[in-house]
Amino acid sequence: SYVLTQPPSVSVAPGQTARITCGVNNLGSKSVFWYQQKPGQAPVLVVYDGSDRPSGIPERFSGSNFGNTATLIINRVAAGDEADYYCQVWDNNSDHYVFGTGTKVTVL
Amino acid sequence: EVQLVESGGGLVQPGGSLRLSCAASGLSVSSNYMSWVRQAPGKGLEWVSVVFTDEKSFYADSVKGRFSTARDNPKNTVYLQMNSLRVEDTAVYYCARLTNWGGKFDIWGQGTMLTVSS
């Protein structure tokens, strides 16, 4: 089955940059979407098509996707960014939507 | 304001059935791709199903043959019929709008909890 691998956790100091990776073979050929989920809340789309943002999402959130790895980048991390983050793609071989394993971001 | 509101969750015994509802406002379920995503306690997100505007549906392998989707256009509501429930189906079930085939989930409901236990 198609597995998008993310690091279980990332810790970052306030004001610094957090980088969350999502990996699978040839991921760079796909559109990757990123979601933020705070405890007890529904997921929220934060980055799509690699690096675009929905309205209301701060410019501090951006993404890249090249080769086998997509990366969500959060600049100038704030306490309010502490959450679980998931990548997501569409697997055209199975016609299934796949979420990454998830990364818990902790702001130190 | 666009909103999705799930309901119908609860406690069901293994082998039982339940139907979840997703009532939409601010968007028409008949002209959108509507999906279900679930999250087991303490676990990650898992896509469950999608129903397209032509009523065609796709399902995750873990629920195929047991779950089905339906739409009630006048009520602007999407349903997830769940049969032959298993303990491992225990999760929060979210309704979400899929923007396009192969795309992203841009609008989410608050979720409804299903517990399958004897």
Side-chain angles (χ1 to χ4, degrees):
Chain A
S1 62
Y2 199 89
V3 177
L4 296 171
T5 301
Q6 299 181 233
S9 63
V10 167
S11 297
V12 59
Q16 299 304 302
T17 298
R19 292 179 175 84
I20 305 157
T21 59
C22 172
V24 76
N25 189 45
N26 202 29
L27 183 58
S29 66
K30 295 184 176 295
S31 292
V32 179
F33 313 105
W34 289 93
Y35 303 86
Q36 175 193 69
Q37 186 181 34
K38 296 182 178 180
Q41 297 184 19
V44 172
L45 179 70
V46 292
V47 167
Y48 63 93
D49 291 344
S51 59
D52 291 333
R53 293 178 312 280
S55 61
I57 301 301
E59 291 184 3
R60 301 185 295 105
F61 288 81
S62 63
S64 67
N65 186 18
F66 179 77
N68 300 325
T69 304
T71 303
L72 175 68
I73 302 162
I74 311 174
N75 290 312
R76 302 182 299 282
V77 166
D81 299 329
E82 197 163 90
D84 294 326
Y85 291 83
Y86 296 89
C87 58
Q88 176 249 313
V89 301
W90 172 60
D91 176 18
N92 59 300
N93 290 321
S94 64
D95 281 341
H96 284 16
Y97 293 83
V98 182
F99 288 93
T101 51
T103 298
K104 181 177 181 61
V105 170
T106 299
V107 180
L108 300 172
Chain B
E1 179 190 8
V2 177
Q3 194 174 15
L4 300 174
V5 179
E6 303 93 334
S7 62
L11 175 62
V12 180
Q13 290 189 339
S17 297
L18 199 68
R19 188 181 76 165
L20 304 182
S21 301
C22 170
S25 56
L27 67 84
S28 170
V29 298
S30 63
S31 56
N32 281 277
Y33 298 169
M34 301 303 296
S35 196
W36 291 90
V37 176
R38 69 183 180 184
Q39 186 171 35
K43 302 298 184 181
L45 301 172
E46 180 188 17
W47 171 74
V48 173
S49 70
V50 60
V51 57
F52 296 117
T53 53
D54 62 358
E55 299 276 7
K56 189 173 184 179
S57 294
F58 284 85
Y59 301 92
D61 294 344
S62 57
V63 306
K64 197 170 186 178
R66 301 187 298 122
F67 290 13
S68 62
T69 56
R71 277 201 319 248
D72 185 329
N73 293 337
K75 292 185 177 180
N76 209 25
T77 298
V78 175
Y79 302 100
L80 181 66
Q81 178 65 44
M82 304 180 293
N83 300 326
S84 302
L85 284 164
R86 305 167 180 168
V87 171
E88 54 265 33
D89 294 319
T90 295
V92 173
Y93 284 74
Y94 295 101
C95 176
R97 194 262 299 266
L98 179 67
T99 56
N100 57 282
W101 179 238
K104 56 194 178 290
F105 304 97
D106 66 337
I107 301 168
W108 295 70
Q110 85 290 348
T112 187
M113 180 71 199
L114 167 69
T115 301
V116 183
S117 174
S118 55

